[in-house]
C-alpha cells in the first residue's frame, strides 16, 4: 500500500477449503496461529480490516467474475502445499498474470516471466506485484499469453489421456518413468 496506495486485496477462499469443519481464527480466514503471522499487515491499529482488504470466503463458479476483474492474481504465496495449484491455472485462464513462490507445482502451472512471475522471497513477492501493477505493457503481454498456455498444456482431453496412460501402466504392473 505504501508503493501502490490504490491497490486492493480480495482474498478468495479460507482455511475451510479442504476441511469445512476447520476451526479458524477471529477473521475467519485461517487457523488462529497462521492468521497471527500476517493479519497485522491487513488491519489497522484496532484490528479492523483495512478498507483496501476484503475477504470473500469460499466461492463457487462466481469466483471467476472476481478473478477476471483482478489485475494480478497472487496464488498461494508460500507455494508450500500444492503440487498443481488450480488457482494459478484459473487466474491465467481468465487472462490474469500470476505472482507466487518459485516452488513445487507452480513451476509447472506458471510460465515464469511469460504468464506470471515466480519469486524466491517475501520481498520478491511484493516487488513482483508492484511491478505488474505498475507496468501495463508487461502485464498485457502476460495476460495475452496466459489463456493459450492453460488451453494447450492443461486441456481436459490432454490431461485425461496422460492420466489414462499412467493408470494403464500401474494396472499392468509396470514402472512409471518421469
Amino acid at each position: 500500500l505504501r508503493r501502490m496506495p490504490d491497490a486492493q486485496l480480495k482474498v478468495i477462499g479460507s482455511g475451510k477449503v479442504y476441511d469445512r469443519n476447520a476451526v479458524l481464527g477471529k477473521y475467519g480466514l485461517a487457523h488462529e496461529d497462521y492468521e497471527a503471522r500476517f493479519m497485522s499487515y491487513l488491519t489497522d491499529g484496532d484490528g479492523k480490516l483495512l478498507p483496501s482488504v476484503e475477504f470473500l470466503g469460499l466461492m463457487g463458479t462466481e469466483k471467476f467474475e472476481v478473478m477476471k476483474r483482478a489485475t494480478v492474481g497472487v496464488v498461494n504465496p508460500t507455494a508450500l502445499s500444492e503440487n498443481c495449484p488450480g488457482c494459478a491455472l484459473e487466474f491465467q485462464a481468465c487472462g490474469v498474470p500470476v505472482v507466487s513462490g518459485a516452488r513445487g507445482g507452480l513451476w509447472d502451472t506458471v510460465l515464469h516471466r511469460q504468464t506470471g512471475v515466480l519469486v524466491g522471497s517475501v520481498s520478491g513477492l511484493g516487488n513482483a506485484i508492484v511491478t505488474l501493477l505498475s507496468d501495463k505493457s508487461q502485464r498485457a503481454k502476460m495476460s495475452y499469453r496466459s489463456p493459450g498456455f492453460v488451453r494447450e498444456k492443461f486441456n481436459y482431453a490432454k490431461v485425461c489421456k496422460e492420466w489414462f496412460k499412467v493408470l494403464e501402466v500401474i494396472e499392468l504392473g509396470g514402472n512409471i518413468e518421469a
Side-chain angles (χ1 to χ4, degrees), residues 17-117:
V17 72
Y18 298 116
D19 178 2
R20 298 298 196 255
N21 298 315
V23 177
L24 305 179
K26 75 177 190 174
Y27 297 96
L29 190 62
H31 186 272
E32 183 177 26
D33 295 339
Y34 189 51
E35 276 186 4
R37 292 174 54 191
F38 62 81
M39 285 308 297
S40 63
Y41 301 103
L42 305 178
T43 56
D44 63 18
D46 296 325
K48 293 181 184 174
L49 275 181
L50 296 173
S52 60
V53 178
E54 184 178 1
F55 294 153
L56 302 173
L58 297 178
M59 300 179 82
T61 56
E62 70 274 13
K63 71 182 176 184
F64 297 116
E65 290 307 314
V66 174
M67 295 170 106
K68 287 176 187 176
R69 290 190 306 266
T71 305
V72 175
V74 181
V75 176
N76 189 1
T78 63
L80 294 176
S81 62
E82 295 181 83
N83 66 348
C84 182
C87 194
L89 297 174
E90 292 169 338
F91 267 118
Q92 292 171 105
C94 291
V96 178
V98 170
V99 174
S100 192
R103 291 191 176 136
L106 284 149
W107 281 115
D108 295 318
T109 56
V110 177
L111 288 177
H112 181 55
R113 295 192 177 133
Q114 294 181 48
T115 65
V117 180

